[in-house]
Amino acid sequence: MVRPMPHIFTSTGLPLWLLGWGAEFLRAEMSRLLALLFHQGVLDEQFLQLQQLQDESSPNFVYEVTSIYFSESEKLLRNLKLLLMEKELSDYRKIEIHLNQFMGSSSSIGANRVRNVCVTFRAATEENNRIGCLRALELLENEYYYLKNKLHEFFQIEQQRSLAARVRYPMQD
Amino acid sequence: MTVEGNGRGGVGMRDEGGRDKFPTGMRVLAVDDDSTFLKVLEKMLRDCKYHVTTTNDGATALRLLRENRKSFDLVMSDVQMPEIDGFKLLETVVFEMDLPVIMLSSYGDTKLVMRGVYHGASDYLVKPVRMEELKNIWQHVIRKNFNSKLKNDCPNLDKVNDREVGVVGNMAASGDLPGKLTKRRKEQNEDDEDEDSEDGGQENEEPSSQKKPRVVWSVELHQKFINAVNQLGLEKAVPKKILDIMNVEGITRENVASHLQKYRMYLKKARGFASESKDPSYIRLASLDKYGEFQTLTGSGRLSSNSSLPSYSAIGMLGTFNPPSYLGLQGNASSGVSSPNYLQTLNSSFTKAGKLQEVSLPANQGSSIFQGVPTTLNFNNIINSSIKVTGNNLDMGSSPNGLQNSVYSGMSSHVFTQGSQLQPQNASSVEVTASASWQGVTRYSNFPSATLNQHTSTNLRGNFNLTSPDTCDNLIDFSSTGAISGTLEDSRRDIECDGGLIDNVVRHVNYGLSQHGKDRHRNYKQISSSTSALVPANGASGSVSQRMTQNGTAVYSGVPDVSVIPEQSNLSGVHHHSSVEVSYIDHMTKCNDLSSLEHMKPQGSIYNANYESFDELMNAVIKRDHNRETMLMDGDMLFDASQLGSCI
């Protein structure tokens, strides 16, 4: 049987775990997704560190951190956009400060490609290169939203897996 | 380092039981505007068994610290925060509260690190911070307490121990250094016997040892100095006049002169960093001013135009320059005045570096009175290297011969020559070794190469090793066999899902293909270049360029191209890798036939199997793709216009 991409909700609209897709399968899906993201360089080993930090005292650590990351990053992206859209853009230092934070937070969760785009972006601000900055911002948004989508997917599978692990169906093994 | 019995001091170290407990329970205050990082850091610190308090805001941090001085052992702070200047915070904490501060930053470049050291940081960590680095940060608490305790208990040993303690644990001091230092003290005693002791801190209690009375620039004294300077105006501030205004007994004009010199250096540095001035002519002008100043003060000759170094050291020599004297400031500054602090910064921060430079000095130094000099020289060494941009260093000229004529300036330039002979860049002899002593420096030194040197394929491989060690072997395989085959999986899969983007890519690639030569292909061959299918919603143009980062490092050399040719499409910057892409796709699709992808689907799809680990998955992919390697990776992969034409 060819297993398709992890469409969490099948055509019947029921979640996988209810249909008996076992925790095992879901865990494999998570691994596969992570493998893909590592392979693409979207995530790096720092993400693994995050996972290692998750323990009984903070069982949802990865999710919490990435949630903070998402809300902060979207603020930063908005600010960056505003700054770059200004007619008279003269102060690249403010952009640098935002970038600095974006870079720090991205590297903290292992968002490798996002961080790399920040480096390029920073280079463009150092040259006071507005066009370069605009291009870099576009790249940055692309990378960020891709990462966000994939991580959302990851957490959905995770959630279902933990549900499935608690529910027992006869067809599961 | 043989100060047995004095290893106490600091938190939880009163007895053996306490020593075992520490560093458990060490109280850390972490300040950063980046909440994501702060949360990760907090968790890591808790896992190290420290007590952690966090705040986003520098002002809150200061308030917490001021409310109870004893409530924290260590402060960690980001240096680039929007609302409060991280460096200022750093200084205030170090000198007002006498706590060790560890700097944090996303960037590890030399200038920033140096700035941190100047402002008194005990360490500098680059984000993301690893657990191993955090496990060791308690040493800074110990070291700081150790230093203070030594000063209080054994004032006679101050001069020796301040230097040695500064390097404990990180560097091996040369064996004969204590001897040199002792000799230096004696020399200074002979020279300065007529100096009176200073108000504010004569800690010498043994008249028989004939220790030279040190001039301790206490906070009050420095405040008077500052007032005098401000009264006169910085440009007109002359030691004699300052001395008159200050009206303090027991300091000589030379003391004031050397102090003034340091103060000016500090201001220039502070201004230079604040304005991010990279203009060497500014520095040259400044040093010319000083040169004129210096002439009036001492009448000494033999100064080159970039004279900040020799003039500084010469004045330092004339005065009773004595680094440990400034350490008396430690713990005394209560009013939060930041200006006296640079003195301590000079010394406490550079005891390490100073140590190194001393080691590297040749034996024929002449009078060992110059043992005091290397510290300042070294400091200047670093300043010079940090402010010089064009390699326009001190004019050595015939400096080695000048040793005999003018001991001071010749000495300084000789040392400087020494430094420069060791390394092409003066800074590097100091900074590399000095930085080697810092925690987490491997991180710092690797970091620039990881993200900034992006243009060679060798770096691609090397850098990728940094990011995912467990996959690196597999993926290095990819890059050697042609990452294109490696990414066959996801690219195909994504094509299935999102479909129809290949023609997009191919079309866009047309723009650039005719403009770039084949030699580029070779470089970028190794860059995996699957389609842009990954970010369908945003269009192929922006996203193709991001595919080049398959190997985990950004080869964003494409982006500068983009900015240069703004009127073209985004793809113009990335066409060279796209060209590899198109020929690959060409092979794959046989004229855009998506269906042909179907029979390229792996038999016995790996998706069926349950891969428990990432490694298994990668191994499977590699194994399968090795079979297909010869088909895909051959000379025909290079751009061929006719092929392209036939497919579009």
Side-chain angles (χ1 to χ4, degrees):
Chain A
M1 161 173 65
V2 174
R3 300 262 170 106
M5 283 277 285
H7 301 287
I8 308 300
F9 295 93
T10 63
S11 54
T12 63
L14 286 173
L16 288 171
W17 64 269
L18 261 187
L19 293 176
W21 292 81
E24 282 304 306
F25 167 73
L26 291 173
R27 193 148 57 89
E29 284 298 314
M30 282 171 64
S31 297
R32 198 194 52 77
L33 179 56
L34 272 190
L36 170 66
L37 294 176
F38 275 102
H39 176 50
Q40 293 172 337
V42 173
L43 289 178
D44 63 19
E45 63 173 359
Q46 182 67 19
F47 191 77
L48 292 176
Q49 283 252 345
L50 280 194
Q51 290 186 304
Q52 282 166 11
L53 285 174
Q54 185 161 300
D55 54 19
E56 295 85 28
S57 66
S58 354
N60 293 320
F61 182 69
V62 183
Y63 181 74
E64 286 162 7
V65 175
T66 50
S67 303
I68 298 177
Y69 173 70
F70 289 145
S71 66
E72 293 275 314
S73 301
E74 273 156 46
K75 259 189 263 169
L76 286 172
L77 279 174
R78 265 199 304 275
N79 289 339
L80 283 170
K81 213 179 200 131
L82 282 173
L83 282 172
L84 280 177
M85 293 308 183
E86 274 173 33
K87 283 229 170 97
E88 292 296 325
L89 173 56
S90 56
D91 186 7
Y92 286 86
R93 301 312 129 216
K94 270 194 238 154
I95 296 182
E96 268 197 46
I97 292 178
H98 286 305
L99 266 187
N100 191 39
Q101 191 190 327
F102 208 154
M103 193 159 152
S105 55
S106 303
S107 62
S108 302
I109 68 157
N112 187 46
R113 290 218 304 227
V114 175
R115 186 197 60 197
N116 288 341
V117 179
C118 288
V119 173
T120 319
F121 201 150
R122 189 195 189 209
T125 62
E126 276 172 4
E127 297 161 11
N128 286 7
N129 177 351
R130 187 182 179 156
I131 306 278
C133 286
L134 285 167
R135 295 280 155 86
L137 179 64
E138 193 179 334
L139 268 180
L140 190 60
E141 283 176 331
N142 286 349
E143 288 295 345
Y144 169 74
Y145 285 113
Y146 179 68
L147 173 74
K148 183 175 174 178
N149 287 337
K150 288 296 178 202
L151 282 180
H152 269 154
E153 201 179 307
F154 176 79
F155 287 122
Q156 275 186 309
I157 309 177
E158 163 69 46
Q159 193 182 33
Q160 304 226 331
R161 186 193 65 81
S162 62
L163 285 171
R166 287 180 220 140
V167 177
R168 289 274 169 261
Y169 284 95
M171 48 192 128
Q172 275 177 240
D173 247 345
Chain B
M1 198 57 233
T2 58
V3 192
E4 290 96 8
N6 278 341
R8 300 188 305 275
V11 178
M13 291 278 290
R14 303 295 167 202
D15 51 282
E16 282 311 303
R19 188 183 298 239
D20 287 344
K21 282 248 174 58
F22 193 84
T24 300
M26 185 176 81
R27 297 153 304 173
V28 181
L29 173 67
V31 187
D32 197 337
D33 56 327
D34 179 353
S35 310
T36 313
F37 173 75
L38 211 52
K39 187 159 172 79
V40 177
L41 182 68
E42 182 186 20
K43 183 65 170 60
M44 283 185 170
L45 290 172
R46 292 236 158 87
D47 284 356
C48 293
K49 311 274 192 305
Y50 305 142
H51 287 312
V52 188
T53 312
T54 63
T55 172
N56 276 114
D57 173 36
T60 312
L62 280 177
R63 189 174 51 80
L64 284 171
L65 287 166
R66 286 191 175 125
E67 272 169 10
N68 184 1
R69 293 271 169 91
K70 301 259 187 288
S71 53
F72 295 103
D73 299 311
L74 177 74
V75 177
M76 299 180 75
S77 163
D78 188 297
V79 292
Q80 276 150 334
M81 296 193 278
E83 271 141 43
I84 184 168
D85 178 15
F87 288 107
K88 253 204 169 31
L89 175 66
L90 176 56
E91 264 184 1
T92 313
V93 175
V94 174
F95 298 114
E96 186 181 323
M97 287 130 202
D98 192 25
L99 288 175
V101 179
I102 294 183
M103 285 169 58
L104 299 160
S105 175
S106 318
Y107 305 111
D109 55 80
T110 314
K111 281 211 195 90
L112 275 184
V113 178
M114 267 195 222
R115 244 184 112 180
V117 177
Y118 290 154
H119 290 269
S122 302
D123 205 347
Y124 187 112
L125 299 179
V126 179
K127 298 179 186 175
V129 176
R130 296 169 303 169
M131 276 299 267
E132 303 89 70
E133 294 170 318
L134 291 179
K135 289 214 166 87
N136 277 329
I137 57 177
W138 55 267
Q139 63 170 286
H140 300 293
V141 179
I142 301 286
R143 196 177 292 132
K144 199 141 191 151
N145 290 327
F146 196 39
N147 277 342
S148 314
K149 208 155 178 16
L150 272 185
K151 251 186 287 305
N152 296 334
D153 293 349
C154 315
N156 298 336
L157 295 174
D158 270 344
K159 287 167 201 161
V160 178
N161 290 333
D162 285 334
R163 286 166 173 265
E164 294 198 52
V165 168
V167 298
V168 73
N170 282 336
M171 279 181 265
S174 158
D176 56 351
L177 274 169
K180 283 185 189 166
L181 287 170
T182 316
K183 222 173 148 206
R184 171 182 73 82
R185 286 205 320 272
K186 289 202 183 126
E187 294 275 0
Q188 284 178 324
N189 287 342
E190 286 156 19
D191 283 342
D192 305 315
E193 256 175 17
D194 48 340
E195 286 231 84
D196 292 335
S197 67
E198 171 52 46
D199 61 320
Q202 177 57 21
E203 293 173 20
N204 194 335
E205 294 143 11
E206 293 185 13
S208 58
S209 63
Q210 284 198 349
K211 295 285 187 294
K212 180 195 68 59
R214 290 174 292 131
V215 173
V216 176
W217 284 89
S218 64
V219 179
E220 298 86 37
L221 199 61
H222 185 77
Q223 196 55 46
K224 285 192 187 151
F225 171 80
I226 297 288
N227 291 339
V229 169
N230 289 339
Q231 211 173 315
L232 291 168
L234 187 62
E235 295 311 312
K236 289 204 168 43
V238 187
K240 189 132 178 50
K241 290 190 190 153
I242 296 175
L243 194 59
D244 291 338
I245 295 178
M246 281 174 74
N247 199 17
V248 173
E249 281 189 358
I251 48 173
T252 66
R253 198 188 56 73
E254 283 88 5
N255 295 133
V256 175
S258 76
H259 194 74
L260 175 67
Q261 193 76 6
K262 292 190 185 81
Y263 183 59
R264 283 177 195 257
M265 290 294 284
Y266 166 73
L267 285 179
K268 287 202 170 57
K269 230 183 347 78
R271 278 192 211 131
F273 280 125
S275 63
E276 293 182 10
S277 162
K278 295 184 180 127
D279 184 6
S281 64
Y282 160 77
I283 304 300
R284 220 170 293 132
L285 275 178
S287 58
L288 279 175
D289 284 344
K290 256 210 250 190
Y291 174 59
E293 169 84 24
F294 178 66
Q295 289 259 287
T296 59
L297 284 176
T298 65
S300 163
R302 281 207 48 84
L303 290 167
S304 54
S305 59
N306 288 348
S307 62
S308 52
L309 179 60
S311 64
Y312 173 71
S313 57
I315 290 181
M317 287 313 303
L318 291 173
T320 54
F321 173 74
N322 187 0
S325 67
Y326 297 104
L327 285 167
L329 280 178
Q330 196 173 25
N332 288 340
S334 56
S335 54
V337 176
S338 60
S339 34
N341 304 325
Y342 73 91
L343 300 168
Q344 179 170 3
T345 311
L346 285 184
N347 298 292
S348 59
S349 308
F350 283 96
T351 45
K352 284 185 201 175
K355 254 336 207 182
L356 288 174
Q357 194 64 24
E358 281 172 325
V359 172
S360 68
L361 286 176
N364 55 343
Q365 281 295 309
S367 166
S368 62
I369 193 172
F370 297 119
Q371 291 314 313
V373 174
T375 305
T376 50
L377 288 178
N378 207 28
F379 170 64
N380 281 298
N381 216 348
I382 291 171
I383 289 180
N384 256 8
S385 56
S386 65
I387 61 182
K388 79 164 168 78
V389 174
T390 58
N392 207 357
N393 287 320
L394 281 198
D395 179 22
M396 294 299 133
S398 61
S399 47
N401 299 328
L403 257 179
Q404 294 77 24
N405 298 338
S406 167
V407 181
Y408 304 106
S409 54
M411 169 64 200
S412 57
S413 34
H414 173 74
V415 171
F416 202 65
T417 313
Q418 172 81 7
S420 64
Q421 276 162 5
L422 290 174
Q423 300 273 355
Q425 277 212 339
N426 298 326
S428 48
S429 64
V430 176
E431 96 196 10
V432 171
T433 44
S435 64
S437 71
W438 287 337
Q439 298 293 323
V441 141
T442 49
R443 187 89 203 176
Y444 141 67
S445 57
N446 280 336
F447 182 83
S449 67
T451 55
L452 300 175
N453 298 332
Q454 302 165 359
H455 297 275
T456 65
S457 52
T458 50
N459 268 342
L460 279 179
R461 297 187 189 198
N463 291 339
F464 191 72
N465 277 329
L466 287 179
T467 54
S468 39
D470 57 336
T471 62
C472 69
D473 289 336
N474 296 332
L475 288 156
I476 294 298
D477 260 348
F478 278 138
S479 39
S480 62
T481 62
I484 293 167
S485 59
T487 59
L488 185 54
E489 292 317 308
D490 43 293
S491 62
R492 268 185 286 108
R493 242 183 322 100
D494 291 328
I495 290 169
E496 288 162 29
C497 297
D498 305 311
L501 282 175
I502 293 185
D503 47 335
N504 260 353
V505 171
V506 171
R507 200 184 318 123
H508 283 290
V509 158
N510 266 338
Y511 293 145
L513 281 176
S514 51
Q515 297 172 22
H516 285 257
K518 291 188 183 172
D519 50 327
R520 294 230 186 187
H521 295 201
R522 246 164 272 128
N523 281 341
Y524 290 98
K525 217 183 211 181
Q526 294 160 6
I527 302 168
S528 63
S529 55
S530 71
T531 68
S532 57
L534 294 167
V535 190
N538 292 324
S541 58
S543 53
V544 173
S545 54
Q546 75 207 15
R547 294 307 293 128
M548 64 179 142
T549 65
Q550 195 79 352
N551 289 344
T553 27
V555 185
Y556 285 95
S557 51
V559 178
D561 285 342
V562 168
S563 57
V564 163
I565 319 166
E567 65 276 8
Q568 292 192 5
S569 79
N570 279 355
L571 258 288
S572 59
V574 301
H575 43 258
H576 29 267
H577 2 271
S578 312
S579 56
V580 186
E581 191 171 333
V582 77
S583 36
Y584 162 63
I585 293 168
D586 176 40
H587 275 273
M588 270 182 57
T589 64
K590 296 283 188 290
C591 304
N592 267 347
D593 179 7
L594 275 178
S595 63
S596 69
L597 289 176
E598 295 310 302
H599 40 78
M600 299 196 104
K601 223 190 234 176
Q603 317 79 350
S605 164
I606 58 166
Y607 310 134
N608 293 337
N610 270 339
Y611 282 98
E612 288 305 310
S613 76
F614 178 50
D615 280 344
E616 279 182 45
L617 175 68
M618 298 311 301
N619 281 332
V621 172
I622 293 172
K623 215 185 322 187
R624 197 212 13 245
D625 288 317
H626 267 301
N627 301 335
R628 233 177 267 112
E629 177 190 356
T630 51
M631 176 169 82
L632 294 175
M633 288 303 302
D634 56 12
D636 294 339
M637 289 300 295
L638 295 180
F639 164 61
D640 182 350
S642 64
Q643 266 184 329
L644 179 65
S646 64
C647 281
I648 305 296

